[in-house]
Amino acid sequence: MENQQHQAPMPQIAMLSTGEEVLLGDITDTNAAWLSRTLFENGLTMSRRVTIGDDLDDMAIELVRLSQTEQVVIVNGGLGPTTDDLTTAAMASAMGVELTLNEAWLDELKQRFERHGRPMAQSNLKQAMLPDGARLIENPKGTACGFHCELNGCHFYFTPGVPSEFFDMVERQILPELLHVYAAKARSCYRLFTFGLSESGISDVMASLVLPDDVSLGYRSSLPFIEVKLFIDAEHDEKDTILEALQHRLADYVVSYNEPMASALAFDVNRHGIALKVAEQFTGGWLSSLLNGQAAYLVEQGWVMSNAHVPEQALANPLAASLAMASATISPEQKQIGLACGPELHGQICVAISTPEGEWGQRLSFKRQLSHDDARCYISTVLLDMLRRYLNGYTVIADYASLTRHDDIYIDADSIE
C-alpha cells in the first residue's frame, strides 16, 4: 500500500442500485445501508445514492451522468442470467463498446457446475459477457462476477445484488482497493441507546457540546429507542472525555452502550443473582419475549392473561391491582423480582415492579396514537427500564417524553410486611 502522503484525497463515492423490485419498494435496499455504514466506518463517505429500474436506456443515461459528477460509483444488481438483468449491457452502451466474452470467468463457471454435477445452462453464458476492457472482480459465492470499468475518469465497480455475495466482494476486494488508493482514516462508531427522551430533548442537551472537527454525532430513532452515535478515531486523544460528556448529558436515560438494552440488562440481572417473574395483560407476552429472546432466558416464570378479562379490583383501582399482580408472582424471602402489566382501561395502562426493597407502580397513557404492537413494545420497555433503574440504584419512576404519567406509588418492604 502507498504511504498516506502519496494517496489521492477523499473521493466522491456514489451507489447506484438497480432493479424494479428495489425501485418500487418490493424489497428493502439493505445493501445500500450496509455499504454507506461500511464506507463511513472506514473513513470514506458516500455522497449520493441513486435507484433505477430495469430499463437499459435509462440505466445507460444514469451511468453517464454519474461518471460526470462522481469519482467512484458502486453499482449493485442486474448481473444475473435473466432477460431483466441489464446492468452489464447498459454499461457497455454508456461506454460505447461491445460486450466481449471473458474466457477466465466462463471457465470458472463451467468448473463450478461440473463440481456440482450439473450442466451449465446457456443463459449463464451471459454472465461471462463483460464490456470490452472491463477488469474482472471475482465472486467466490455466486455465478455473477463483478467487474471494474472507467468512464470519464470515474471508476465503476459492478456487483451482484445478493447480499452475501455483495458484502464479500466489497470487504475482500473493492474496499481494500479504495483504501489503497485514497487517503482515508477509519473511524469507530460508539452507540448509546437512550429511552425516554425525545429527539428534540436530546438535541437540546447536545446543543452546547463542542466537538473537534474530526468527530461527529449521528442519531437514529427506532422505536422505542433513540440511538446516539459517536463517530471518532478509536485512538483519538479526546475519545474518553467526549464519551463521558455524552453519558453525563444523557444521564440515566442511557439504557445500554454498544449493545441492545435486553442484553445489557441480562448482565445486571445475573450480577445480582435474581430470578424474574412476569405477569402480563396489555403487553400480551411481549415483555417475556424481549427478556428471553435477547437476554438468555431471564424469565423464570411468566403468565399471560387476556386483556379482555378485567377483574373488579382492576376496575376499581387499576394501580393497586397491578402492584398486587407483581407481588403475587414472587415468593417471599427469595431473591426474586416480579414485573406486571395490567389491562388497558380507558386508554391507560398500569405497570408495576415488586422487589425485596419495595414495590413501585405507575399509571400511564400515550401522548400520540401508536399501533398495537408498537404500544406493547413501548410499555414492555418501560417495565425493563424500571427493572434497570432499580438494579442500578437510579430513581425507578422516571419521566418519558412519549407518555403521560397520571399517578404513581411506592411502598417500601417494611410497609408491605
Side-chain angles (χ1 to χ4, degrees):
M1 181 179 287
E2 302 174 30
N3 293 329
Q4 286 282 333
Q5 59 264 33
H6 295 139
Q7 289 179 297
M10 290 278 286
Q12 289 274 107
I13 302 178
M15 180 176 184
L16 176 61
S17 301
T18 70
E20 298 293 339
E21 69 279 7
V22 180
L23 181 65
L24 299 177
D26 292 335
I27 63 172
T28 301
D29 193 355
T30 55
N31 285 354
W34 176 87
L35 180 65
S36 182
R37 182 175 65 252
T38 298
L39 290 174
F40 191 90
E41 291 176 355
N42 282 276
L44 300 167
T45 303
M46 190 185 293
S47 60
R48 184 183 303 176
R49 281 167 48 174
V50 181
T51 303
I52 195 164
D54 297 314
D55 183 274
L56 192 147
D57 291 338
D58 288 347
M59 291 173 64
I61 291 169
E62 189 60 43
L63 289 165
V64 172
R65 182 183 294 119
L66 288 169
S67 76
Q68 296 168 339
T69 60
E70 311 299 319
Q71 292 168 284
V72 175
V73 178
I74 297 176
V75 185
N76 188 234
L79 303 183
T82 58
T83 56
D84 61 342
D85 290 308
L86 303 171
T87 302
T88 304
M91 188 59 184
S93 176
M95 296 171 67
V97 300
E98 298 294 325
L99 291 172
T100 59
L101 181 65
N102 187 290
E103 296 284 357
W105 190 248
L106 178 61
D107 289 343
E108 174 65 23
L109 286 180
K110 289 180 177 178
Q111 291 175 28
R112 290 188 187 185
F113 279 99
E114 287 175 5
R115 286 196 295 269
H116 289 88
R118 295 186 291 125
M120 189 185 84
Q122 186 64 27
S123 60
N124 289 111
L125 180 64
K126 174 185 175 185
Q127 295 179 291
M129 302 294 293
L130 303 182
D132 190 31
R135 170 167 57 88
L136 178 73
I137 299 176
E138 292 191 0
N139 178 359
K141 296 186 174 184
T143 59
C145 68
F147 58 94
H148 168 271
C149 294
E150 285 190 48
L151 177 62
N152 296 325
C154 177
H155 294 269
F156 285 85
Y157 294 89
F158 289 80
T159 60
V162 179
S164 61
E165 299 175 20
F166 174 64
F167 299 163
D168 185 88
M169 292 169 71
V170 169
E171 289 177 333
R172 293 177 181 270
Q173 299 179 76
I174 299 172
L175 184 58
E177 186 170 308
L178 293 176
L179 294 176
H180 181 74
V181 174
Y182 298 102
K185 191 171 185 179
R187 285 172 286 189
S188 295
C189 178
Y190 298 89
R191 294 175 166 85
L192 288 79
F193 293 86
T194 72
F195 176 68
L197 292 173
S198 64
E199 291 185 68
S200 59
I202 292 177
S203 179
D204 288 345
V205 300
M206 294 298 178
S208 61
L209 181 65
V210 179
L211 297 173
D213 292 339
D214 56 349
V215 177
S216 61
L217 285 179
Y219 303 93
R220 176 176 179 264
S221 179
S222 179
L223 190 143
F225 306 108
I226 297 178
E227 184 181 342
V228 180
K229 298 181 287 187
L230 174 68
F231 297 99
I232 189 171
D233 180 359
E235 305 301 322
H236 199 289
D237 292 341
E238 297 183 57
K239 183 194 74 176
D240 291 341
T241 301
I242 295 171
L243 282 171
E244 287 176 8
L246 292 176
Q247 290 271 14
H248 177 73
R249 288 165 183 262
L250 298 170
D252 54 6
Y253 288 98
V254 177
V255 297
S256 59
Y257 174 66
N258 278 343
E259 64 178 336
M261 178 186 186
S263 298
L265 192 56
F267 176 81
D268 290 335
V269 170
N270 291 327
R271 176 168 53 91
H272 286 81
I274 59 174
L276 296 181
K277 305 290 188 71
V278 172
E280 303 180 68
Q281 280 191 271
F282 173 74
T283 48
W286 203 283
L287 175 61
S288 298
S289 179
L290 283 174
L291 285 166
N292 285 346
Q294 296 181 11
Y297 303 102
L298 290 178
V299 177
E300 185 173 283
Q301 237 177 334
W303 297 265
V304 178
M305 293 158 281
S306 170
N307 193 62
H309 174 68
V310 182
E312 290 185 9
Q313 180 189 8
L315 290 171
N317 192 334
L319 189 54
S322 67
L323 286 172
M325 282 176 63
S327 179
T329 62
I330 61 177
S331 302
E333 301 178 358
Q334 292 190 22
K335 206 168 185 182
Q336 298 179 347
I337 290 179
L339 302 172
C341 172
E344 181 180 14
L345 296 170
H346 310 296
Q348 298 176 0
I349 304 134
C350 291
V351 294
I353 177 172
S354 180
T355 77
E357 280 74 37
E359 298 176 350
W360 289 261
Q362 51 185 325
R363 184 161 55 96
L364 308 165
S365 64
F366 288 98
K367 293 181 179 179
R368 61 186 178 92
Q369 189 70 33
L370 295 179
S371 70
H372 185 56
D373 280 350
D374 284 349
R376 291 195 299 169
C377 176
Y378 206 97
I379 292 298
S380 296
T381 308
V382 169
L383 275 162
L384 294 184
D385 194 47
M386 292 172 71
L387 174 61
R388 176 189 70 89
R389 288 173 171 277
Y390 167 74
L391 294 175
N392 288 280
Y394 302 141
T395 302
V396 173
I397 303 295
D399 292 325
Y400 301 111
S402 297
L403 297 170
T404 297
R405 188 171 71 250
H406 299 277
D407 53 16
D408 59 82
I409 188 171
Y410 166 65
I411 306 174
D412 63 48
D414 293 338
S415 299
I416 295 172
E417 293 175 359

